[in-house]
């Protein structure tokens, strides 16, 4: 091949990875800054690899959310990366050689081994598990602490700040100046996922191996979904995909950003969580025996197969503190489409919850075994006011005279004032209300295409409208 041909073939190879939300090859304008034919090969010459054997002297390490590290764990992480960055570039455990491992296996270098591309197929999940294992062991040995575990960037949890603050401290060993995302960035990851229709909980409920893990020729819905989006967002939160930029935005350079390893910790955790829901991995022998070579913490050249990494706790001696799968109680089954808060005066107010046909079928099937909970979130009453509110379903004409014995009556919630009139509350909190909807689901709501929820303010036992001040935000139903 002429130089031009091999360059073209490199670009084609790299371009193959660029489907969907995958990462781009280097755009021409960036070629000058980043060498597309970068030599990412491990330093020196490699001996015949030694097959991996589990180190049973290791304690079980527990990977935690980067948002939940104690001060001591944060310091330990910073110290480990400081030690890694201090190693020289000809040490295979060093900072750049570690980043080059990723480049070498992802057609990011001109000399990647026998055209191995670990992205875009069912090798994506296991290869990154191997890579993180060795990276974590190297960091642990540099600080002499076998209990060291990498954190994971828990981006699927919408209540978290969007970017882990510990990685954003300018000048720290976890910082990368090529990255634009910060904990204050908008749009944040939740908004980005919403824009792209990415529902991680739904993807975790995927039953198809191909759709979740990918198969021999195609990438799965985690790789070409949230995985790619988080890479691009980290580099440039405007998601200008015509301008892919290093580090995180390009596979060749992605692992130069320490947050890469926390991002892939979360990807690995999603895989573990998916297995935890009873989803089996492939048993294809070709897949199981696929192996790659890495330098370990003692600079030994080790080959590790997919079969070696499927029993994470037993063979690799690490686990995660919690599953990414949210408990059924926090899963919304049906929700109103209200966007603005409802202002509740003395008159009853009604909110509609549409029930699609699939949900109607689910209701018909699951009534005997499940509990349906009606949620009214963000209930706000002035701190010096009380409120007593009755809740009815599919009875929009309900009034203070409608008795609690009505089959449509779900319950009453009562809010006690926090402070005397004229004082300000220190911390005024909105309330979230839960009411048991199971009896109505099993009777009057069966087969209905809409559930209406009517709030009727009442006062004492006088059956009259009460002039309460109250707003509420979100009305929805979950199943436990
Ligand atoms: Cu190997 Cu997130 O890419």
């Amino acid at each position: 091949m002429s130089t031009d041909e091999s360059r073209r073939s490199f670009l084609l190879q790299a371009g193959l990875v660029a489907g969907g939300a995958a990462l781009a090859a280097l755009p021409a304008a960036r070629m000058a800054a980043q060498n597309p034919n970068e030599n990412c090969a491990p330093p020196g010459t490699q001996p015949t690899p030694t097959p991996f054997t589990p180190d049973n002297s290791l304690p079980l390490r527990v990977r935690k959310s980067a948002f939940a590290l104690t001060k001591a764990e944060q310091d330990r992480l910073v110290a480990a990366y400081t030690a890694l960055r201090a190693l020289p570039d000809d040490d295979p455990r060093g900072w750049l050689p570690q980043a080059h491992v990723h480049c070498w296996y992802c057609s990011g270098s001109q000399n990647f081994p026998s055209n191995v591309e670990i992205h875009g197929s069912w090798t994506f999940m296991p290869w990154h598990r191997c890579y993180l294992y060795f990276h974590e062991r190297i960091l642990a040995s540099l600080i002499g602490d076998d209990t060291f575990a990498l954190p994971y960037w828990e981006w699927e949890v919408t209540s978290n700040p969007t970017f882990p603050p510990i990685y954003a401290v300018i000048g720290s060993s976890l910082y990368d100046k090529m990255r634009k995302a910060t904990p204050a960035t908008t749009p944040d990851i939740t908004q980005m996922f919403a824009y792209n229709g990415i529902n991680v909980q739904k993807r975790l409920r995927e039953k198809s191996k191909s759709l979740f893990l990918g198969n021999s020729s195609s990438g799965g819905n985690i790789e070409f979904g949230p995985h790619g989006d988080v890479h691009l967002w980290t580099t440039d939160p405007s998601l200008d995909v015509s301008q892919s930029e290093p580090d995180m935005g390009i596979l060749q350079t992605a692992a130069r950003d320490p947050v890469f390893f926390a991002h892939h910790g979360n990807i690995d955790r999603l895989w573990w969580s998916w297995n935890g829901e009873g989803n089996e991995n492939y048993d294809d022998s070709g897949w199981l025996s696929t192996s790659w070579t890495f330098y370990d913490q003692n600079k030994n050249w080790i080959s590790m197969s997919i079969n070696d990494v499927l029993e994470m706790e037993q063979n690799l001696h690490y686990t995660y503190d919690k599953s990414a799968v949210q408990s059924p109680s926090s899963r919304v089954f049906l929700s109103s489409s209200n966007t603005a808060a409802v202002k509740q005066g003395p008159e009853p107010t009604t909110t509609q919850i549409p029930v699609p046909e699939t949900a109607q079928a689910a209701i018909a099937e699951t009534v005997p075994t499940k509990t349906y909970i009606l949620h009214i979130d963000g209930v706000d009453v002035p701190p010096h006011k009380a409120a007593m509110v009755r809740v009815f379903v599919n009875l929009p004409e309900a009034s203070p005279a409608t008795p609690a014995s009505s089959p449509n009556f779900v319950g009453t919630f009562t809010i006690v004032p926090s402070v005397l009139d004229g004082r300000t509350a220190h911390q005024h909190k909105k309330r979230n209300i839960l009411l048991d909807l199971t009896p109505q689901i099993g009777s009057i709501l069966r087969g209905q295409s809409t559930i209406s929820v009517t709030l009727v303010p009442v006062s004492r036992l006088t059956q009259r409208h009460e002039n309460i001040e109250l707003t509420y935000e979100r009305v929805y139903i979950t199943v436990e």
Side-chain angles (χ1 to χ4, degrees):
M1 261 198 269
S2 73
T3 319
D4 265 346
E5 268 165 10
S6 68
R7 183 179 151 89
R8 208 181 139 258
S9 101
F10 161 75
L11 289 173
L12 278 175
Q13 299 256 16
L16 286 177
V17 194
L23 308 183
L26 284 170
R30 303 256 149 205
M31 289 282 183
Q34 296 289 324
N35 176 4
N37 291 329
E38 188 159 22
N39 178 6
C40 295
T45 38
Q46 283 68 53
T48 312
T50 311
F52 169 80
T53 46
D55 178 354
N56 293 325
S57 70
L58 285 178
L60 183 70
R61 290 108 61 213
V62 181
R63 292 186 183 167
K64 290 173 60 177
S65 166
F67 297 102
L69 300 180
T70 63
K71 178 76 175 73
E73 287 161 342
Q74 295 183 11
D75 292 348
R76 180 171 74 161
L77 182 65
V78 171
Y81 275 96
T82 304
L84 188 74
R85 286 184 189 270
L87 291 175
D89 282 354
D90 60 359
D91 185 323
R93 304 165 306 164
W95 172 246
L96 197 59
Q98 277 293 293
H100 276 164
V101 173
H102 189 247
C103 160
W104 199 46
Y105 277 114
C106 75
S107 68
S109 68
Q110 146 258 10
N111 54 344
F112 65 109
S114 353
N115 293 355
V116 175
E117 168 55 84
I118 51 80
H119 298 94
S121 77
W122 61 7
T123 54
F124 170 77
M125 291 285 186
W127 183 87
H128 288 86
R129 177 170 288 177
C130 299
Y131 181 36
L132 259 65
Y133 172 81
F134 288 108
H135 185 68
E136 183 175 68
R137 294 295 301 128
I138 289 169
L139 290 165
S141 86
L142 290 175
I143 53 168
D145 182 349
D146 275 344
T147 68
F148 173 84
L150 284 168
Y152 58 86
W153 175 4
E154 194 185 12
W155 34 248
E156 84 285 357
V157 175
T158 54
S159 56
N160 278 336
T162 202
F163 187 87
I166 173 153
Y167 284 86
V169 179
I170 296 176
S172 117
S173 62
L174 306 179
Y175 184 69
D176 179 22
K177 63 178 187 319
M178 304 303 287
R179 152 214 313 157
K180 292 201 192 67
T182 73
T185 293
T186 51
D188 65 17
I189 289 180
T190 302
Q191 291 167 305
M192 175 183 70
F193 283 176
Y195 176 76
N196 281 340
I198 290 177
N199 179 336
V200 175
Q201 290 307 315
K202 201 167 150 214
R203 290 187 188 198
L204 286 168
R205 293 198 293 276
E206 180 58 67
K207 290 290 160 207
S208 150
K209 293 183 186 28
S210 303
L211 288 175
F212 189 85
L213 296 171
N215 60 28
S216 61
S217 57
S218 307
N221 286 349
I222 298 293
E223 179 182 0
F224 286 141
H227 164 256
D229 280 31
V230 170
H231 268 279
L232 296 185
W233 178 88
T234 304
T235 253
D236 178 3
S238 77
L239 294 183
D240 178 358
V241 295
S242 65
Q243 274 299 320
S244 301
E245 294 183 48
D247 289 334
M248 275 285 274
I250 297 174
L251 293 173
Q252 183 183 333
T253 53
R256 297 180 190 191
D257 186 335
V259 88
F260 172 96
F261 297 94
H263 175 36
H264 273 278
N266 207 40
I267 297 288
D268 189 62
R269 171 173 165 261
L270 296 190
W271 180 20
W272 170 80
S273 305
W274 183 77
N275 285 152
E277 295 299 291
N279 298 297
E280 306 269 340
N281 294 313
Y282 286 106
D283 57 8
D284 179 282
S285 58
W287 185 70
L288 291 171
S289 61
T290 304
S291 71
W292 306 280
T293 40
F294 301 87
Y295 275 107
D296 75 0
Q297 69 281 3
N298 301 317
K299 303 195 213 176
N300 292 322
W301 185 237
I302 307 287
S303 70
M304 188 179 249
S305 71
I306 294 181
N307 200 30
D308 288 331
V309 301
L310 299 180
E311 298 294 333
M312 225 172 72
E313 286 93 344
Q314 271 176 36
N315 286 348
L316 306 181
H317 297 278
Y318 79 88
T319 189
Y320 290 94
D321 63 345
K322 61 176 194 288
S323 170
V325 176
Q326 285 170 15
S327 69
S329 61
S330 51
R331 252 183 232 161
V332 175
F333 174 60
L334 292 170
S335 178
S336 75
S337 40
N338 281 359
T339 43
V342 179
K343 205 167 166 16
Q344 173 75 62
E347 297 302 322
T349 55
T350 296
T351 302
Q352 305 288 343
I353 301 179
V355 187
E357 269 173 39
T358 47
Q360 290 176 36
I363 288 174
E365 280 169 19
T366 52
V367 165
T369 53
K370 308 231 165 153
T371 303
Y372 288 77
I373 298 177
L374 176 67
H375 297 246
I376 304 167
D377 275 8
V379 175
D380 197 11
V381 182
H384 55 279
K385 293 276 194 186
M388 192 181 287
V389 180
R390 288 185 181 180
V391 180
F392 296 86
V393 285
N394 287 23
L395 195 67
E397 65 275 21
S399 77
T402 313
S405 58
S406 156
N408 303 64
F409 171 77
V410 184
T412 302
F413 65 87
T414 303
I415 293 178
V416 177
S418 318
V419 289
L420 281 174
D421 202 357
R423 305 270 176 84
T424 38
H426 286 305
Q427 262 203 333
H428 180 54
K429 254 188 121 208
K430 294 178 185 176
R431 311 292 183 182
N432 297 335
I433 310 296
L434 308 174
L435 296 166
D436 183 9
L437 193 62
T438 317
Q440 284 78 22
I441 286 277
S443 55
I444 54 171
L445 297 179
R446 231 180 198 164
Q448 300 290 307
S449 60
T450 328
I451 296 175
S452 75
V453 180
T454 301
L455 271 61
V456 181
V458 291
S459 179
R460 302 188 185 88
L461 301 174
T462 56
Q463 297 192 348
R464 64 179 166 85
H465 289 304
E466 176 67 2
N467 192 7
I468 68 165
E469 290 171 56
L470 180 151
T471 57
Y472 56 98
E473 285 161 4
R474 206 164 149 238
V475 181
Y476 59 100
I477 296 165
T478 58
V479 189
E480 279 182 19

